[in-house]
Amino acid sequence: MPSYVARRLAYSIPVLLIASFLLFAFVRATFDPTARLRASRDPHAIQRERARLGLDKPIVVQYKDWLVKFTHGDWGQSSRTHDRVAPMVRGALWNTIQLIFWGILVSAVVAIAIGIYSAVRQYSLGDYAFTSLSFIGLAMPPFWFGLIAIQFLAAGPRNWFHLTNPPFFFVGLHSVDASGVVDYARHLVLPVLTLTVQIIASWSRYERASMLDAMSGDYVRAARAKGLSSWGVIFKHAFRNALIPLVTVMALDIGLLFGGLVITEQIFSIPGMGKLFIDSLIQGDANVLVVWTVVTAAFVIGFNLLADVAYGALDPRIRYA
Amino acid sequence: MTTLPNRELLDVPTEENLPPPTPGEFADEATVIRSQWQLFWRRFLRHRMAVISSLVLVLLVFVCFSASWLAPFPKDHQNLTIGATGPSMKHWFGTDDLGRDQLTEIMFAGQISLKIGLAVAVISTLIGTVLGALAGYFSRWTDQLLMRATDLFLVVPAIAILAIAIKKFGNSASTIILILAALGWMYIARVVRSQILSVKEKEYVEAARASGASSARIIVRHLLPNTIGPILVNATLAIAAAIITESTLSFLGFGVQPPTTSWGRMLADAEGYVGTAKAHLLYFPGLALLITVLCVNFIGDGLRDAFDPQSVR
């Protein structure tokens, strides 16, 4: 196992390097960090700035310089605000990690619960209801779902019942004047819901199918025949095996989750990685964008690796040859 | 024969209880010859939701693209005196701040949303099919290229790359179509590749090769027709994906710009009205998106079942 992880990491590094180089080149070609100097009276200002930033060198050299600095912890300055990029990203990352943690936890628990229920009570009224809901969940644009959720679960109730605060908050992760678990939870509900609705819809369908598949296995029939309780068979025998394919899908969908963050954080004004991306993109902040893409890519690779390891732990048949 | 009285109870046809075949009947019932496509259609028509969805979608496309004749008001017709009003008999979907009829707006915006969805699906399917077939058949550098390219895109969120690309290349409808297609062909290419990989080992391909068919002929005449099912299904789903992606980009501010408008663009404009008296501006463009995508997904499901009779829903 350790050697497998090492090999996976070794494979990830070139992918990360190539990806970061392409993104670096792409972002550099798209945004000009000297754009704000165009109005300058000094005709040499742009040239001087380009030389200072090393923009006059070939792109490969620029990338190499950037990479050396990056690996030494110097992530550069924002080309707009001149803040250090590293603290900016670190602050944003913390908010995003919270969202991702709760997002994965909620979607896994809810999707598995729905999947098991739908498989055990196949073709029941509840199964049909969840199936219809999952079709709608998959077809719903996530940002619209977020807005509708605010309208009907937060802003709407506040207006209808003349409350000072909505039942669920929809700006940021903490109130300015309050703290504590309840306040935090009231801030989290809507963003996490928006982030996970599509994922829950797709994972629960997947879990239902793999659960049905597992429950038709001979070992389940054998366990039943020996007189094990129905739920015992479902959880001890069928569920464990149905989890394996789901974990693979989960790993692949982590990237999707990062994409969803861009929308969620924008709607709920959460200062995380998604919002940092949109803000930097609108302002043409190349330095932040490059770091953003590399950090995000590293995270996705890390999560994929984690899922692979979990996959091996769940399924002893898997050999890391 | 008296020793087998149970046979009739079991309803097994014996020579005695079988009615004599009338001339013509045999040919009518037992040997109705149906082509692949007829079988396909029969199975598709049995998928109730897919049939309903097709009808709804055709209606939706028709209504949107004949907006110039059907819409209750001319495009961008303003009525500043009434401002934003809720749904009424005169304005079914209400009006926005400038007093523009929302039904009219949604019909015209739908043209852009649907056009982008369809165009992206067609272009990315074409690119994906060609490259996927080459990668699957020759499995040399094209294969490596395809796999590595998809690896890269799995690593960075697509929405980020799309947004940067739109920032670079511009945000007219046709540029957005090209960008979405240029970055959206990989999934379908992987599907085609995996299909070709399995089909190319079949005996009839070997037979074709043995009788001297060229690679091009084998791909076009033998391999692609046998992967048409997955290709069509994924092309359908690509329409839905493209419509949602376009609306998301528009919502974030990177989509089409006024005066061009799409459903996502309308929702971006309505974002600020959450929780106000103008919240009705939020509902209808989103519902249009939801219904369109839902229909397309159901049609994709119906196609999948029709192409693959073994699949269990």
Side-chain angles (χ1 to χ4, degrees):
Chain A
M1 179 87 109
S3 75
Y4 171 75
V5 174
R7 242 179 311 109
R8 272 297 303 266
L9 275 176
Y11 173 74
S12 302
I13 288 168
V15 171
L16 196 54
L17 279 179
I18 296 171
S20 66
F21 171 70
L22 290 177
L23 289 163
F24 183 85
F26 189 39
V27 170
R28 274 274 177 267
T30 308
F31 300 102
D32 181 6
T34 62
R36 71 199 157 78
L37 291 176
R38 269 189 212 135
S40 166
R41 296 245 180 92
D42 182 357
H44 301 296
I46 291 182
Q47 265 176 12
R48 261 204 319 271
E49 181 72 357
R50 286 180 68 83
R52 191 179 73 82
L53 295 172
L55 296 179
D56 45 357
K57 296 178 199 157
I59 189 76
V60 182
V61 179
Q62 282 185 44
Y63 174 71
K64 200 203 78 197
D65 293 346
W66 173 83
L67 188 67
V68 169
K69 277 190 186 166
F70 182 80
T71 46
H72 285 79
D74 178 8
W75 290 8
Q77 279 183 328
S78 157
S79 30
R80 291 283 296 193
T81 60
H82 291 290
D83 287 337
R84 312 290 310 163
V85 174
M88 283 170 83
V89 170
R90 222 178 295 134
L93 207 52
W94 172 235
N95 286 325
T96 287
I97 287 176
Q98 297 177 48
L99 276 183
I100 289 192
F101 173 77
W102 293 113
I104 294 180
L105 191 72
V106 168
S107 31
V109 169
V110 175
I112 288 174
I114 293 176
I116 292 180
Y117 172 85
S118 294
V120 174
R121 301 249 182 284
Q122 196 186 5
Y123 301 133
S124 69
L125 203 64
D127 180 26
Y128 278 119
F130 282 127
T131 303
S132 320
L133 280 179
S134 73
F135 271 113
I136 294 175
L138 283 175
M140 179 102 76
F143 67 91
W144 188 56
F145 180 84
L147 296 178
I148 293 294
I150 295 177
Q151 171 70 19
F152 285 102
L153 296 176
R158 182 186 58 191
N159 297 347
W160 303 327
F161 305 118
H162 307 288
L163 307 169
T164 27
N165 280 326
F168 302 110
F169 292 110
F170 51 91
V171 177
L173 280 180
H174 298 280
S175 299
V176 187
D177 52 348
S179 59
V181 180
V182 177
D183 179 67
Y184 181 55
R186 280 169 75 184
H187 278 90
L188 268 179
V189 169
L190 293 183
V192 169
L193 202 62
T194 308
L195 188 62
T196 53
V197 60
Q198 237 177 2
I199 292 181
I200 290 177
S202 113
W203 287 2
S204 67
R205 294 307 294 163
Y206 206 82
E207 173 69 8
R208 178 182 182 271
S210 63
M211 215 31 213
L212 282 174
D213 193 43
M215 287 197 326
S216 66
D218 287 339
Y219 58 93
V220 169
R221 198 184 324 153
R224 280 244 168 85
K226 284 196 294 183
L228 278 182
S229 73
S230 192
W231 286 103
V233 174
I234 288 166
F235 281 106
K236 286 233 172 84
H237 296 81
F239 172 62
R240 285 192 180 185
N241 284 286
L243 205 55
I244 296 164
L246 186 68
V247 171
T248 336
V249 177
M250 284 179 169
L252 287 173
D253 282 353
I254 299 296
L256 209 79
L257 208 61
F258 273 86
L261 279 170
V262 176
I263 300 153
T264 308
E265 290 177 1
Q266 183 71 12
I267 296 178
F268 295 97
S269 317
I270 297 167
M273 290 296 272
K275 187 125 178 49
L276 182 67
F277 173 78
I278 295 291
D279 292 347
S280 316
L281 187 56
I282 288 172
Q283 296 169 353
D285 197 335
N287 290 347
V288 178
L289 282 179
V290 172
V291 174
W292 186 91
T293 38
V294 174
V295 171
T296 312
F299 254 79
V300 175
I301 290 178
F303 268 108
N304 281 339
L305 189 62
L306 204 68
D308 260 13
V309 173
Y311 193 54
L314 280 170
D315 189 349
R317 285 170 302 185
I318 299 212
R319 295 266 174 277
Y320 296 102
Chain B
M1 289 317 259
T2 47
T3 51
L4 294 168
N6 286 341
R7 273 216 163 177
E8 278 174 47
L9 289 176
L10 290 171
D11 206 20
V12 176
T14 58
E15 277 176 47
E16 289 91 78
N17 65 18
L18 204 65
T22 50
E25 185 194 36
F26 194 67
D28 277 349
E29 275 187 14
T31 54
V32 176
I33 297 164
R34 294 202 175 88
S35 72
Q36 282 282 318
W37 285 104
Q38 283 170 320
L39 286 171
F40 166 79
W41 268 115
R42 278 170 66 89
R43 285 196 294 261
F44 183 77
L45 292 177
R46 224 174 284 151
H47 196 297
R48 211 182 312 142
M49 286 312 287
V51 175
I52 297 172
S53 297
S54 315
L55 295 177
V56 172
L57 198 64
V58 167
L59 189 72
L60 206 90
V61 171
F62 174 75
V63 166
C64 283
F65 284 94
S66 24
S68 316
W69 302 283
L70 287 180
F73 293 87
K75 183 170 162 39
D76 291 326
H77 173 77
Q78 300 182 354
N79 187 350
L80 292 167
T81 51
I82 62 166
T85 57
S88 62
M89 282 309 288
K90 190 162 177 233
H91 302 282
W92 290 3
F93 291 177
T95 54
D96 66 6
D97 274 339
L98 302 173
R100 287 180 293 188
D101 179 60
Q102 284 298 287
L103 177 59
T104 310
E105 291 293 302
I106 283 180
M107 285 160 78
F108 281 103
Q111 293 184 1
I112 300 292
S113 290
L114 292 168
K115 219 185 280 175
I116 289 180
L118 277 173
V120 170
V122 168
I123 299 175
S124 58
T125 302
L126 283 179
I127 304 177
T129 304
V130 170
L131 293 182
L134 291 179
Y137 188 75
F138 295 109
S139 349
R140 279 193 300 256
W141 61 269
T142 38
D143 203 22
Q144 284 298 316
L145 182 77
L146 180 63
M147 293 326 243
R148 294 295 88 80
T150 16
D151 271 359
L152 287 183
F153 278 88
L154 285 176
V155 158
V156 184
I159 196 99
I161 300 179
L162 290 171
I164 299 178
I166 285 175
K167 202 79 177 156
K168 180 170 172 59
F169 297 111
N171 47 22
S172 72
S174 45
T175 319
I176 290 176
I177 290 173
L178 288 181
I179 290 173
L180 286 184
L183 296 174
W185 55 266
M186 270 157 281
Y187 183 73
I188 209 153
R190 279 185 102 131
V191 171
V192 173
R193 170 186 170 274
S194 70
Q195 288 287 316
I196 297 270
L197 275 181
S198 75
V199 176
K200 79 171 179 186
E201 303 301 329
K202 294 259 165 77
E203 286 84 353
Y204 59 82
V205 178
E206 205 175 325
R209 200 173 297 132
S211 44
S214 65
S215 292
R217 188 182 163 85
I218 290 176
I219 291 178
V220 174
R221 292 298 297 264
H222 298 280
L223 297 178
L224 284 182
N226 283 295
T227 53
I228 191 84
I231 292 176
L232 267 186
V233 170
N234 282 292
T236 315
L237 299 180
I239 300 176
I243 289 179
I244 291 221
T245 309
E246 185 276 327
S247 69
T248 306
L249 287 167
S250 289
F251 177 74
L252 293 173
F254 301 104
V256 291
Q257 299 298 318
T260 315
T261 170
S262 72
W263 290 333
R265 176 79 229 163
M266 290 180 76
L267 284 172
D269 293 340
E271 187 195 0
Y273 299 135
V274 179
T276 69
K278 300 171 192 169
H280 65 270
L281 294 174
L282 269 180
Y283 302 151
F284 299 106
L287 273 178
L289 273 172
L290 178 64
I291 292 172
T292 309
V293 175
L294 207 54
C295 286
V296 171
N297 283 349
F298 276 127
I299 295 172
D301 255 23
L303 288 177
R304 193 195 323 259
D305 289 354
F307 276 117
D308 184 7
Q310 276 108 40
S311 75
V312 188
R313 269 197 297 142

